[in-house]
Each structure stands twice: as structure tokens, then as C-alpha cells.
Amino acid sequence: LIGWSCPAGRHPTCSCGPPLSARPAVMEAASKWADLGGCCCGKVTLRQATIFLCAGMVIAGCVAFSAELILLSLVYCAVGGLGIYAATFRDEKVMQYFVVLLCCIFLVEVTALGYYLVVQNAVVVKLAEVRCAGLQNEAECKEWMQRNLGAHFIVAFFVVATLLALGTAGVAWVAQSLAAVLALGGTGDEGLGPQAFARRYGDSKEALTKSV
């Protein structure tokens, strides 16, 4: 491992396997990844990652737009647009509000998932009543839906709700790291997470100004 160096053109924020004797370098590289030092091995910065993820929220809201999900779609489009604005213009306060909104959405999604798992039998029965109402074989239809469609509906809802919650948590994690870097006086394009940024430039905007 002695003399192990980064490949040519490798981003400096990436860990390229330094010697075991360089203990501080190893710890610093690990810390950079722990606090999102650089997304996608330094090729995508925190600000860029936030913009991409928020754009994904807007797209998801547009795709899911329907009469049943109109509220969810509008929330995703509005919150995603707010995140794009905050990241594009590096607005620290708006970014903090964005993170709070994401946390609220995450709590609502987790609560909805837990509530549905508790009342899922009643939901399936109600769905069967609505779909089979007025049919000649209404009793058989209800029985078939509760036996077959019920299981698939439960699995589908659980998967979708879990993915939404994890996606929201991931966006909040990246956005919180960007908000912390902005609070320290950075731009989000340094390829550094909050901890690595504070170690390099200090923990205040004054220290950053002096270092520059």
C-alpha cells in the first residue's frame, strides 16, 4: 500500500486508498463521505445533487397527477420547486425551510404507511364494495377481490409508500448538508460536506473570508 496514489484525473475529494500509515487522511476521507463530501465520487456537488433530486420530486408530482392524488402531486411539485429555487440561488433561509417541509412530508408519509397497515383490511373491504356494487355476482366479486386483489393492493401500497418515504428522507439528507454548507458561507459546489468544509475553512463565515 506504500505509495498508493489517486488515478490521473480523479477528483481530490474521493478516497483513493492512501497508505495505512496516513491515518488522518483515511479518517478525513471517511468523514467526507459520512457527511456527503461529494456525491457520485465528487463529480456531482451538493448543490447539483439537490437540484437534480428536487427536479425528480417535481417530475414525480406531475406523473402522479390525478383526481385521487391531486393534493400529493401539488405538494411534491411545490416543495420540489422551492428546493430548486433555494439550491439554484444558494438561499440559506429558503433551504432551511425546504428541509423542514421535507421532514414534515416524511412524517406524514410514515404516519400514513403505519395507519394503512393497521386498517388495511377495512380498506380492502371498502374497495371491494365500491368495485362490485351493482353487479349480479356481487358476493362472488367481493370475495374474489378480498382474496386476490387485497394482497396485491397491500404489497403495492407498502412498496410505493416505503419508496416515497425513503426518497423524501434522502432528499432531506442531501438538502440538510447543503443548508449547513451555505450557513458556513460556502456555495455547495466545493465538493465538501459540512464537517469537511468546517475543517478546511473554519466553522464560521469570518474564518472562510480570512482563508480566502
Side-chain angles (χ1 to χ4, degrees):
L1 292 178
I2 301 300
W4 191 331
S5 60
C6 296
R10 188 71 177 270
H11 195 280
T13 61
C14 296
S15 174
C16 305
L20 293 177
S21 58
R23 189 71 178 179
V26 174
M27 296 177 64
E28 183 178 358
S31 178
K32 288 178 181 178
W33 283 105
D35 67 348
L36 289 178
C39 299
C40 191
C41 200
K43 296 181 180 180
V44 180
T45 64
L46 281 176
R47 192 174 71 89
Q48 293 171 341
T50 302
I51 293 175
F52 293 156
L53 291 174
C54 291
M57 291 184 63
V58 175
I59 294 174
C62 294
V63 171
F65 189 83
S66 62
E68 295 81 4
L69 300 175
I70 184 171
L71 180 60
L72 179 64
S73 299
L74 292 177
V75 169
Y76 265 69
C77 290
V79 175
L82 182 67
I84 293 175
Y85 169 85
T88 300
F89 295 98
R90 301 179 178 88
D91 194 315
E92 175 189 344
K93 291 185 178 180
V94 176
M95 181 58 65
Q96 292 175 352
Y97 293 144
F98 173 65
V99 173
V100 172
L101 288 175
L102 287 176
C103 292
C104 293
I105 293 175
F106 175 76
L107 291 177
V108 171
E109 290 171 343
V110 172
T111 302
L113 177 60
Y115 176 78
Y116 176 77
L117 292 178
V118 173
V119 300
Q120 48 91 8
N121 287 329
V123 173
V124 174
V125 171
K126 182 64 177 179
L127 179 63
E129 292 178 354
V130 173
R131 295 291 180 86
C132 300
L135 298 179
Q136 294 181 352
N137 57 341
E138 182 174 345
E140 296 179 2
C141 175
K142 290 181 180 179
E143 181 181 356
W144 183 90
M145 290 193 66
Q146 293 178 21
R147 183 178 63 254
N148 298 285
L149 183 61
H152 298 298
F153 186 76
I154 293 171
V155 173
F157 182 89
F158 178 81
V159 171
V160 172
T162 301
L163 290 177
L164 284 176
L166 292 176
T168 303
V171 178
W173 183 30
V174 177
Q176 173 58 34
S177 295
L178 176 58
V181 170
L182 294 177
L184 291 171
T187 64
D189 291 324
E190 299 85 1
L192 299 172
Q195 296 177 11
F197 184 92
R199 284 196 303 272
R200 177 173 296 186
Y201 298 111
D203 57 357
S204 66
K205 295 182 179 180
E206 291 76 8
L208 175 61
T209 302
K210 293 179 180 179
S211 66
V212 175

